[in-house]
Amino acid sequence: MEHEQQKQTRQMEPSVIPCLGSVAFTFVFVLSTLNVTASERILMLPASIGSHLLQMNSVAEGLIGRGHEVHTILNSRTKVAKGVLNPQVKVIKYDTGEEPCFQIKEFHEVTLAPELSDLSFFEKMKPFGRQFEMFTNECRGTIGHAALFTELERKKFDFVVVDGAIRCYNLIPYKLGVPFAVFLSFLPPDIPHAALQAPLVLQGPIDDMISGENTPHVIATICKIGFITTFFNSMEVFGDIVNISLFELQKQTQLMLYDVSKVLSTPMPLSPNVVNVGGLNVRKSKPLPEGELKQFVDSATDGFILVSFGSFAKYFPDRIICILLETFRDVPHKIVWKWDKQLLKDDQVLPSNVLAASWLPQNDVLGHENIKLFVTHCGNSGQHEALYHGIPMVGFPLFGDQMFNCKRVEGRFGRHIRAKDLTQEKLLNMIKHVISDRKYSDNIGKASAVFRDEAMEPRDTAAYWIDHVIKHGANHLRSQTNEMSWIQLLMWDVLFVLCAVVAVVMTLLFFVCRCLYRSCYRGLSSKEKAKQS
C-alpha cells in the first residue's frame, strides 16, 4: 500500500512542481507590475469653467492611475458637460443658493467688455471692479459654506490641489491644515516668492492683462497687486485667518503645476517646485462620430478652418458678429464654428460654407486630416491642442492671459488681431496669409514633434510630483526666496548700500576737489598779489 502511494506521489511531482513554479512566477510578475504607491486622499479645487475642469480632471486621472483616492468640490448649480469628470472622481456637491459667476451673463459681459469695447485704460478698470465684486461673493459663498467645510474636515484629506485662477480657494487647505499644490496656466506677477528665483517684475515688458497694451511689467504688477490685495482683504469669512497676507499664503505652496510647455514659454529662473505640465488635456485624436460634423469635414477636400472662442465667450457685440460672418462668407474654405446658432439675430445669416455648433470635440476636430487653420481666442488648453496636432493659428484674444498667449505664437505659428483692430479686410487677409505661407505650418510641425517627445505624459508628470511631495515634503524643492522680504528679493538693501557708498565717495571727492581748487586758487592769488606789489 505504501509502495503504491509513493509511486503516485512520484508520478504527481513532475506535473505539480512546474504548475507551482508557474503560479509563483505569475504572482511575482504581477507584484512587480503593480503600482506600490500608498493610496492617499486628495482634494481637487477647480474653477467651474469647462477648460479648467478638463485640466484638473487630467491631473485627477494621473493620480487615480497611481492608486490615489481623488475628490472634488462642485457647486450643484454648475453645468458640467458629459465626460468632463472621470467617473472615479468622488464629487462633493454643495449649494450656495446662487449661480456660479462663470455662468452668469453679466459676469461674461463685464469680463469681455475691456477688450470688445473701445475704452480708455481707466474706463477698462471699472468692469474689473464689478467683476471682483461678483467673484468675491462667490468666494464667500463657497469658503463660508459651513456644511461643505464640515464635510471636508470629516474626510481628512492628505493633500489638496488648488486651481490658481481662484485665489480664495487657497484658504481651504490653509484652514484644513493640509499641504497643497497650485495649478496655474500662467505665473501672475504677485507670486514671485513661491515660484521664481528672481521677481517676475524684472522679466521686462509683456502684454498687460489689464490694459491689453505692452506695458512695463512693474506698472501692471502694481495695478494687479492692488486689485488682488483689496479683493483678498475683503474675504471676511474665517475671521481668525483674515489677517494672513496673500504673499504669505502663496509662500506655503508646496508645488506649482505650470500648464505651459517649454516649446511655448520663454526661459525663466523657475524654482524646482515649479513643474511644467503643459498640455494636460491633450490626447490623441479619435475618429469623429457619424453625423453632420463628420460629413462636413470629410467633404472639405480643400481643407477646413476651425473657429472657436472657448466656453466662456458667448456674448459678442453685434459689430464683432457681423465682421465674423462677412469674413467667413469670403473665405474659400469650409468653416466649423463653435457657436450657438440661437444667439444669432434674424439679420445675422449663417453663410453656406459654415457649420455652427454649440459644442464640438475640439481635440478630435484639430486632429482631422483636412484641417488647415485654427482661429482661436488663444486659451491655454486650445493652444496646446493646436500645438500637439501641428495646426497654425490666428489669434483673437479676449481677456486674461489670452493676450500674452497670442504673443507667444505671433510670427512663429501664426498671427493675431485685437478686437479694437478687427475689420473684415484685416481678418480675411490674415487667414489667407497664414494658410498660404508654409512658414507657419512648418514651424508648428517641428514644434509639435518636440512637444510630443517627452519622457512622460503631462498628467503622469503632475501625478508623479504630487506623489513625490506627499512622500518627502517640498523643503528641498522650494526657493529660498520664500524666506526673503520684498526688500531683499528686489535687492533694495544692496542697492541702498551701493547708493550710500557711491554717495559717500562722491561727497569725499567733492570735498577733496574743492580743497584742491581752493588751495590752487589761493596760491595763484598770492602770486598775482606778489607781482602787483
Side-chain angles (χ1 to χ4, degrees):
M1 189 71 174
E2 289 182 14
H3 178 71
E4 289 181 0
Q5 289 178 347
Q6 291 175 359
K7 185 177 179 181
Q8 290 177 357
T9 302
R10 285 195 300 270
Q11 290 176 344
M12 291 174 63
E13 285 175 356
S15 60
V16 171
I17 292 175
C19 181
L20 291 174
S22 177
V23 171
F25 175 79
T26 303
F27 180 71
V28 172
F29 176 77
V30 170
L31 283 179
S32 66
T33 58
L34 286 175
N35 193 330
V36 294
T37 302
S39 177
E40 305 288 350
R41 184 170 289 178
I42 299 174
L43 174 64
M44 313 287 286
L45 302 175
S48 55
I49 310 174
S51 58
H52 287 243
L53 286 169
L54 282 170
Q55 289 169 317
M56 293 290 272
N57 184 65
S58 293
V59 177
E61 288 179 343
L63 292 168
I64 291 169
R66 296 182 72 86
H68 296 300
E69 180 183 315
V70 180
H71 298 247
T72 188
I73 65 170
L74 193 66
N75 189 325
S76 58
R77 299 169 186 259
T78 301
K79 298 173 183 177
V80 182
K82 185 179 179 181
V84 169
L85 290 177
N86 188 299
Q88 294 186 59
V89 175
K90 303 178 187 298
V91 179
I92 303 171
K93 291 192 174 183
Y94 65 99
D95 188 1
T96 61
E98 297 181 2
E99 289 286 318
C101 64
F102 296 110
Q103 295 179 182
I104 300 174
K105 181 179 179 181
E106 184 188 1
F107 188 82
H108 286 232
E109 291 174 340
V110 299
T111 301
L112 299 178
E115 180 62 18
L116 298 179
S117 304
D118 189 15
L119 302 175
S120 66
F121 175 81
F122 292 103
E123 287 175 330
K124 288 180 179 181
M125 306 296 273
K126 295 178 182 178
F128 271 83
R130 177 58 180 151
Q131 182 190 37
F132 273 106
E133 180 185 349
M134 298 172 71
F135 195 71
T136 301
N137 290 336
E138 178 161 333
C139 281
R140 282 201 181 102
T142 300
I143 301 175
H145 199 287
L148 172 63
F149 199 81
T150 299
E151 178 65 13
L152 295 180
E153 285 184 317
R154 189 183 68 82
K155 292 288 185 183
K156 298 188 182 302
F157 291 102
D158 300 294
F159 200 78
V160 180
V161 180
V162 182
D163 190 328
I166 315 293
R167 292 296 182 81
C168 59
Y169 280 5
N170 287 351
L171 290 167
I172 294 178
Y174 179 81
K175 181 65 175 177
L176 292 172
V178 178
F180 66 98
V182 172
F183 171 83
L184 294 163
S185 57
F186 67 94
L187 290 177
D190 56 304
I191 56 169
H193 292 73
L196 304 174
Q197 299 287 2
L200 195 60
V201 293
L202 302 182
Q203 297 299 316
I206 69 165
D207 207 50
D208 179 26
M209 297 175 193
I210 290 180
S211 70
E213 304 297 337
N214 196 34
T215 307
H217 209 68
V218 65
I219 298 176
T221 299
I222 293 170
C223 294
K224 286 175 224 178
I225 289 176
F227 268 117
I228 294 169
T229 304
T230 302
F231 156 68
F232 188 83
N233 290 337
S234 69
M235 295 300 299
E236 298 173 0
V237 290
F238 281 143
D240 58 328
I241 65 170
V242 166
N243 293 328
I244 186 172
S245 70
L246 175 64
F247 306 114
E248 290 299 319
L249 191 61
Q250 291 289 0
K251 285 182 183 182
Q252 298 184 19
T253 304
Q254 300 285 298
L255 184 69
M256 288 193 169
L257 303 173
Y258 189 26
D259 187 16
V260 173
S261 69
K262 298 171 185 175
V263 179
L264 287 178
S265 63
T266 54
M268 285 194 294
L270 300 176
S271 299
N273 71 327
V274 181
V275 180
N276 284 90
V277 291
L280 278 169
N281 61 319
V282 172
R283 289 173 169 80
K284 291 182 179 179
S285 60
K286 297 180 293 185
L288 296 172
E290 294 294 333
E292 184 182 15
L293 175 61
K294 179 176 171 56
Q295 293 175 2
F296 187 81
V297 297
D298 285 349
S299 63
T301 54
D302 293 331
F304 72 92
I305 299 170
L306 173 62
V307 180
S308 174
F309 304 115
S311 58
F312 193 80
K314 296 180 180 179
Y315 308 102
F316 281 0
D318 290 342
R319 179 184 72 87
I320 302 293
I321 294 295
C322 290
I323 291 175
L324 292 175
L325 290 174
E326 291 303 316
T327 304
F328 295 163
R329 189 170 285 108
D330 293 338
V331 170
H333 298 281
K334 288 189 173 183
I335 293 174
V336 177
W337 186 20
K338 183 183 179 296
W339 191 261
D340 189 350
K341 290 183 288 187
Q342 296 180 356
L343 297 176
L344 296 177
K345 296 181 179 179
D346 294 338
D347 59 337
Q348 296 171 342
V349 181
L350 205 64
S352 59
N353 64 325
V354 177
L355 172 67
S358 58
W359 181 86
L360 292 169
Q362 182 169 285
N363 186 69
D364 299 334
V365 175
L366 284 169
H368 195 278
E369 60 183 357
N370 289 340
I371 190 167
K372 291 284 187 181
L373 179 70
F374 184 29
V375 179
T376 170
H377 63 304
C378 288
N380 191 59
S381 297
Q383 205 169 57
H384 278 96
E385 288 175 341
L387 174 63
Y388 180 85
H389 295 292
I391 309 301
M393 290 167 268
V394 167
F396 183 64
L398 299 171
F399 70 97
D401 62 328
Q402 295 164 16
M403 288 76 171
F404 178 66
N405 294 348
C406 280
K407 287 291 183 70
R408 65 190 185 188
V409 304
E410 175 69 29
R412 292 194 300 162
F413 311 136
R415 300 289 302 279
H416 84 280
I417 186 169
R418 299 292 292 269
K420 64 180 181 179
D421 302 321
L422 185 67
T423 65
Q424 178 187 349
E425 182 182 5
K426 287 182 179 180
L427 181 58
L428 181 61
N429 289 340
M430 191 171 290
I431 289 173
K432 289 181 177 180
H433 171 69
V434 175
I435 290 178
S436 61
D437 193 336
R438 290 192 58 84
K439 174 185 73 173
Y440 301 108
S441 57
D442 290 344
N443 285 348
I444 200 167
K446 294 174 183 177
S448 177
V450 175
F451 178 57
R452 292 174 181 232
D453 191 14
E454 290 287 347
M456 288 193 292
E457 293 289 330
R459 64 181 61 85
D460 296 326
T461 301
Y464 168 81
W465 282 104
I466 289 173
D467 204 38
H468 178 89
V469 170
I470 291 175
K471 288 179 184 176
H472 308 294
N475 289 336
H476 60 295
L477 300 175
R478 298 169 70 207
S479 170
Q480 289 301 310
T481 56
N482 281 276
E483 312 304 325
M484 298 168 65
S485 67
W486 269 98
I487 292 176
Q488 294 173 308
L489 187 64
L490 295 173
M491 299 182 70
W492 287 348
D493 52 343
V494 176
L495 183 63
F496 175 78
V497 172
L498 290 175
C499 289
V501 170
V502 170
V504 169
V505 171
M506 294 298 292
T507 302
L508 290 174
L509 284 174
F510 171 77
F511 282 110
V512 169
C513 291
R514 190 174 71 170
C515 289
L516 290 174
Y517 172 77
R518 286 181 175 178
S519 299
C520 294
Y521 178 77
R522 287 172 182 172
L524 290 171
S525 298
S526 300
K527 290 181 180 180
E528 288 179 359
K529 289 179 180 179
K531 288 179 180 180
Q532 290 176 358
S533 62

